[in-house]
């Protein structure tokens, strides 16, 4: 069921240049310092009222300038800064640069919050004292392409056989506003959705063709890897649209029968190969025997009755179809 927070549309901010504001802040900071010193000097000459006003104004100005320094933000290439102001969505900055924004606005990044929480828990586990734990992660949303290596998982194929399959997903954040506000943790979200998609798509196809004569056009996990990977990509894209994520590519990296049936399936494949090889051998042997009998009759080298032909056919087929070397017995007498 859709909720109101899913209707948040990205609002691009165009803040003022941070370099200009930095210079202004520094000038105001110096001016507050001079005003404070001038107020102290005026108090020494007996101008108490003016001195108090100057000192108060300089202190207020100093505090205001310090607050303004908190509004200076940097955005690197392929990064986005998602801001909230007093709990409400304020806007997003996508263009890299140095900016000045409302100093009371807060940056939002689920990955930063998760990393900081994990670091604090790790610090508390080592010491009972509260410590300030810093993390190397910037409080920004990365728009770079990422690789998700989906670990091998055991699923049932279209025929119910257990198989082991693993995938590699290349993705990136397209809409940082959705990634921040529509899901709790978009990294964990895409990982779970990938597991579910791989399982749901893999169970629709058999691992391999069982009856090659009747199922030549049937798609299989082993024979139609690219087509099935494309279907996984489409299905996964539909699942992660809500998080503002774009799936760039999905590849199947691991595919095999599960250990408990791997030996049985290997025997079946070996049996199929042996049958196919024997069939070719028999076809070739029959052709050679027919050619030999026809040439003997056409050239009238020897005339054989039906009984002798049958015996000759039997002997030749044994020699040609045998899997081992045969030991011929030479008849030095008459064949009759």
């Amino acid at each position: 069921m859709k909720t109101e927070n899913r209707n948040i549309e990205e609002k691009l901010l165009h803040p003022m240049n941070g370099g200009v504001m930095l210079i202004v802040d520094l000038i105001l900071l110096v001016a507050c310092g001079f005003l404070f010193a001038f107020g102290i000097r005026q108090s020494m000459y007996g101008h108490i009222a003016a001195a108090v006003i100057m000192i108060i104004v300089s202190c207020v100005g100093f505090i205001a300038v310090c607050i303004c320094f908190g509004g200076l933000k940097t955005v690197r290439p392929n990064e986005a800064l998602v801001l909230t102001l007093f709990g409400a969505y304020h806007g997003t900055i996508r263009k890299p640069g140095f900016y000045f924004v409302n100093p009371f606005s807060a940056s939002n990044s689920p990955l930063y919050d998760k990393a900081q929480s994990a670091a604090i828990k790790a610090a508390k586990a080592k010491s009972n004292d509260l410590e300030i734990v810093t993390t190397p992660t910037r409080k920004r949303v990365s728009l770079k392409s990422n690789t998700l290596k989906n670990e091998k998982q055991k699923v049932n194929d279209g025929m119910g056989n257990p198989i082991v399959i693993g995938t590699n997903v290349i993705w990136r954040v397209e809409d940082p506003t959705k990634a921040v506000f529509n899901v709790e943790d978009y990294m964990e979200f895409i990982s779970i959705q990938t597991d579910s998609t791989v399982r749901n798509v893999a169970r629709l196809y058999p691992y391999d063709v069982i009856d090659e004569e009747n199922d030549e056009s049937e798609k299989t996990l082993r024979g139609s890897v690219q087509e099935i990977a494309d279907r996984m990509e489409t299905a996964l894209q539909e699942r992660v649209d809500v998080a503002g994520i774009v799936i760039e590519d999905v590849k199947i990296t691991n595919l095999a029968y599960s250990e408990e049936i791997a030996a049985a399936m290997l025997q079946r494949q070996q049996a199929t190969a042996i049958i196919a090889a024997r069939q070719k051998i028999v076809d070739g042997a029959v052709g050679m025997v027919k050619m030999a009998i026809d040439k003997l009759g056409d050239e009238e080298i020897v005339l054989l009755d039906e009984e002798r032909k049958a015996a000759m056919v039997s002997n030749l087929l044994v020699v040609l179809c045998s899997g081992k070397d045969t030991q011929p017995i030479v008849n030095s007498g008459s064949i009759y």
Side-chain angles (χ1 to χ4, degrees):
M1 181 176 65
K2 293 184 178 180
T3 56
E4 292 183 358
N5 66 334
R6 299 293 174 88
N7 298 325
I8 296 178
E9 295 183 0
E10 185 177 69
K11 180 175 65 175
L12 294 179
L13 292 180
H14 301 284
M16 65 181 299
N17 188 283
V20 175
M21 193 61 191
L22 177 61
I23 295 174
V24 172
D25 286 344
L26 292 176
I27 293 175
L28 291 176
L29 188 63
V30 174
C32 290
F34 277 110
L35 185 61
F36 183 82
F38 190 71
I40 296 296
R41 185 176 180 181
Q42 288 297 318
S43 66
M44 296 174 61
Y45 288 104
H47 304 292
I48 304 301
V52 171
I53 294 174
M54 291 180 184
I55 292 174
I56 293 176
V57 171
S58 63
C59 291
V60 173
F62 180 80
I63 294 173
V65 170
C66 291
I67 293 175
C68 288
F69 275 114
L72 298 174
K73 306 289 184 181
T74 58
V75 180
R76 297 174 181 173
N78 289 323
E79 279 188 350
L81 181 62
V82 181
L83 299 172
T84 55
L85 182 62
F86 302 121
Y89 173 56
H90 182 55
T92 301
I93 303 175
R94 282 175 171 265
K95 189 176 180 180
F98 183 43
Y99 303 103
F100 175 78
V101 298
N102 191 320
F104 295 101
S105 60
S107 306
N108 295 268
S109 173
L111 297 186
Y112 177 88
D113 296 338
K114 184 177 181 180
Q116 190 177 47
S117 177
I120 292 175
K121 290 181 180 179
K124 288 182 178 180
K126 296 180 180 179
S127 174
N128 294 327
D129 298 330
L130 293 177
E131 299 179 8
I132 298 176
V133 181
T134 59
T135 59
T137 309
R138 285 165 54 86
K139 210 166 188 179
R140 307 288 187 270
V141 178
S142 175
L143 304 180
K144 301 175 184 178
S145 295
N146 295 273
T147 300
L148 173 63
K149 185 177 181 181
N150 185 254
E151 298 297 333
K152 298 179 183 178
Q153 56 177 319
K154 185 183 294 185
V155 301
N156 292 330
D157 67 355
M159 301 185 66
N161 298 320
I163 62 172
V164 177
I165 186 171
T167 56
N168 191 35
V169 179
I170 300 177
W171 62 278
R172 61 181 173 84
V173 175
E174 176 69 19
D175 191 330
T177 305
K178 289 184 178 180
V180 171
F181 295 117
N182 284 3
V183 293
E184 184 69 23
D185 183 350
Y186 59 87
M187 286 284 288
E188 184 178 359
F189 179 78
I190 189 176
S191 177
I192 294 175
Q193 295 303 323
T194 300
D195 290 342
S196 177
T197 300
V198 170
R199 185 177 299 275
N200 290 337
V201 174
R203 67 181 178 85
L204 299 177
Y205 301 94
Y207 177 85
D208 202 356
V209 174
I210 300 299
D211 190 348
E212 296 183 357
E213 296 182 356
N214 299 329
D215 299 327
E216 292 181 355
S217 61
E218 182 181 2
K219 291 184 179 181
T220 63
L221 295 173
R222 189 176 68 89
S224 307
V225 176
Q226 187 59 49
E227 292 86 347
I228 294 174
D230 292 341
R231 179 164 182 178
M232 289 181 179
E233 179 180 345
T234 302
L236 182 58
Q237 183 62 67
E238 294 177 357
R239 288 172 174 263
V240 300
D241 273 339
V242 66
I245 294 174
V246 172
I247 305 300
E248 296 182 344
D249 191 23
V250 175
K251 295 295 184 183
I252 298 177
T253 55
N254 294 282
L255 183 63
Y257 279 114
S258 184
E259 294 180 358
E260 56 265 28
I261 66 166
M265 290 302 174
L266 179 59
Q267 291 179 354
R268 184 183 68 81
Q269 292 175 355
Q270 291 175 343
T272 302
I274 291 174
I275 291 173
R278 289 293 183 185
Q279 184 177 1
K280 290 186 177 181
I281 291 174
V282 170
D283 291 341
V286 170
M288 294 175 66
V289 170
K290 183 177 182 301
M291 180 181 65
I293 293 177
D294 291 343
K295 292 195 70 175
L296 288 174
D298 293 342
E299 298 181 10
E300 297 183 353
I301 297 176
V302 61
L303 298 177
L304 301 174
D305 57 17
E306 296 301 323
E307 182 179 356
R308 301 301 178 184
K309 287 182 180 181
M312 182 178 180
V313 169
S314 176
N315 293 334
L316 287 175
L317 287 177
V318 169
V319 173
L320 295 174
C321 296
S322 176
K324 299 180 180 180
D325 294 336
T326 57
Q327 299 293 331
I329 298 177
V330 180
N331 185 4
S332 59
S334 173
I335 61 173
Y336 298 101

